[in-house]
Amino acid sequence: MSTITNEVLAETTLLRFATAGSVDDGKSTLVGRLLHDSKSVLTDQLEAVEHASRSRGQEAPDLALLTDGLRAEREQGITIDVAYRYFATPRRRFILADTPGHVQYTRNMVTGASTAELTVILVDARNGVVEQTRRHAAIAALLRVPHVVLAVNKMDLVDYEETVFAKIAEEFTAYAGELGVPEITAIPISALAGDNVVDPSSNMDWYGGPTVLEHLETVAVSHDLAHCHARLPVQVVIRPQTAELPDYRGYAGQIAAGTFRVGDPVTVLPSGRTSKISGIDLLGKPVDVAWTPQSVTLLLEDDIDISRGDLIVPTPDAPTATQDIEATVCHVADQALTVGHRVLLKHGTRTVKAIVKDIPSRLTLDDLSLHPHPGQLVANDIGRVKIRTAEPLPVDAYADSRRTGSFILIDPNDGTTLTAGMVGESFAAPEPVKTEADDEGWDF
């Protein structure tokens, strides 16, 4: 494994990216090849993979085993959970989320891509663009992932034909473009053979673009959360009440976006009370400024009532609290989401009761048409919903803040996560019709 000094790491940028694709398209093999050929695998890890491969009767190491860590994954030969890997090259640091391809685990792809700045979507060169490819492209567009890489894998099984790659790239680019994906880069690869993953392929001299690793190292990480709307969801109120700190009252949490400075006027939502930042504690030491994603404790000049779930924001840049939320969602539970469904809505650190008032549309993945007023969303459906909450919530538009513009819906009976939602996102849904929901006991 190559040695990268702490000084080099400190000067490199960080890229969060996710892999996606259908079952057996080769995601885990690609990730394993990426780690292996970039010399990011420890010797004992590689020895364990070689031993496991031999025990399964394979002559060469199965690099997919570097990421398929669960016993069930190795037995079934599929990825079930989101496997996170951390590695670095001299040019950049990476946090990689290897997400499942099976339709049953699409919900895990939502998890892995929710914080990604780039998504690699794999396609088997023999099968081309399939329904799950389209679903992953739609999710990447919905989550506003800035960069998408189409990796046309298993080119060795189609004799490295340029026409096969060109046809798939054209179809996917047209589809993703209609979804609004801002940037698409198509790369022909063979993860098993290592073609165009880390090193350029001698088998595809007709391709003059970057390898997967080269693109990952050079793609522009454009958005800077430190310059977004400043938001601090309060996780805990700290009151030590010791002899040394008899009057200490701090409001701790991880900054979701933006920058806070001592002296800034702030508003606490949803109460609307105002104050000024009198101090910021970071890792037990006072600082004058803090930014996302640091975990800090804010001290305020005024002694006001603040608790877990409140949101501290700059007074000039405070969002409007509302009880009516319209969003595009990806339904991730086996249980259907229906009009009139009573749920819990979790936004940041706050959880409130809510009712699904309307489902204006469901997206049809084949042709991107909208099915109006389907009445329900089932597992893996993407649709538009209108929700009424029991209490006002200070939500941002997802286009402005991926952290404070998103939420999840939870089953109040067993705590199951039902739906992931993005406030204000739309696939141009039709005008909703008014529906009557049974609000007995949940009247707000």
Side-chain angles (χ1 to χ4, degrees), residues 103-347:
V103 174
Q104 180 182 351
Y105 304 111
T106 299
R107 68 200 75 177
N108 297 43
M109 191 266 178
V110 176
T111 301
S114 62
T115 58
E117 297 148 317
L118 180 147
T119 296
V120 179
I121 299 179
L122 270 80
V123 171
D124 188 325
R126 299 168 299 175
N127 302 328
V129 176
V130 297
E131 181 182 4
Q132 191 68 341
T133 310
R134 291 190 286 269
R135 180 175 286 110
H136 287 154
I139 292 173
L142 180 61
L143 294 174
R144 288 186 173 264
V145 180
H147 310 280
V148 171
V149 172
L150 172 68
V152 182
N153 192 24
K154 305 188 181 182
M155 288 295 296
D156 54 313
L157 300 183
V158 294
D159 297 325
Y160 298 103
E161 285 290 338
E162 181 181 5
T163 54
V164 174
F165 167 73
K167 181 180 179 180
I168 295 172
E170 182 180 5
E171 180 182 355
F172 180 86
T173 301
Y175 183 85
E178 289 186 45
L179 287 168
V181 176
E183 180 182 292
I184 305 162
T185 301
I187 304 175
I189 68 169
S190 170
L192 186 64
D195 293 288
N196 285 337
V197 178
V198 172
D199 301 314
S201 172
S202 59
N203 297 308
M204 292 178 279
D205 52 8
W206 44 263
Y207 172 74
T211 65
V212 173
L213 181 61
E214 183 182 355
H215 183 70
L216 294 176
E217 288 183 322
T218 57
V219 67
V221 182
S222 56
H223 65 277
D224 184 358
L225 291 176
H227 293 89
C228 297
H229 308 287
R231 304 288 187 258
L232 177 74
V234 176
Q235 293 180 340
V236 64
V237 178
I238 300 177
R239 295 193 65 191
Q241 296 181 316
T242 61
E244 295 80 8
L245 299 169
D247 300 319
Y248 188 96
R249 183 191 291 264
Y251 310 102
Q254 184 183 42
I255 300 176
T259 301
F260 288 93
R261 293 177 173 83
V262 173
D264 282 351
V266 293
T267 298
V268 180
L269 298 173
S271 69
R273 295 184 177 91
T274 60
S275 185
K276 284 188 177 182
I277 298 176
S278 61
I280 302 175
D281 287 346
L282 174 65
L283 299 176
K285 296 181 179 180
V287 295
D288 292 329
V289 60
W291 54 86
T292 185
Q294 293 175 332
S295 294
V296 300
T297 301
L298 297 187
L299 305 165
L300 303 184
E301 290 182 356
D302 303 288
D303 187 8
I304 57 181
D305 184 16
I306 300 176
S307 59
R308 175 181 169 83
D310 288 345
L311 186 70
I312 300 177
V313 302
T315 298
D317 190 28
T320 302
T322 180
Q323 288 182 262
D324 295 298
I325 296 174
E326 188 168 358
T328 296
V329 302
C330 181
H331 190 61
V332 298
D334 296 327
Q335 173 189 356
L337 186 74
T338 59
V339 175
H341 206 137
R342 301 168 184 173
V343 297
L344 297 177
L345 187 151
K346 187 176 189 300
H347 173 256

Side-chain angles (χ1 to χ4, degrees), residues 389-431:
T389 60
E391 306 168 24
L393 288 177
V395 296
D396 289 299
Y398 187 78
D400 296 330
S401 174
R402 292 172 76 182
R403 288 282 301 276
T404 54
S406 60
F407 62 86
I408 60 173
L409 300 182
I410 302 170
D411 188 324
N413 297 315
D414 59 13
T416 300
T417 298
L418 300 173
T419 308
M422 281 60 69
V423 178
E425 294 301 282
S426 176
F427 286 111
E431 289 296 318

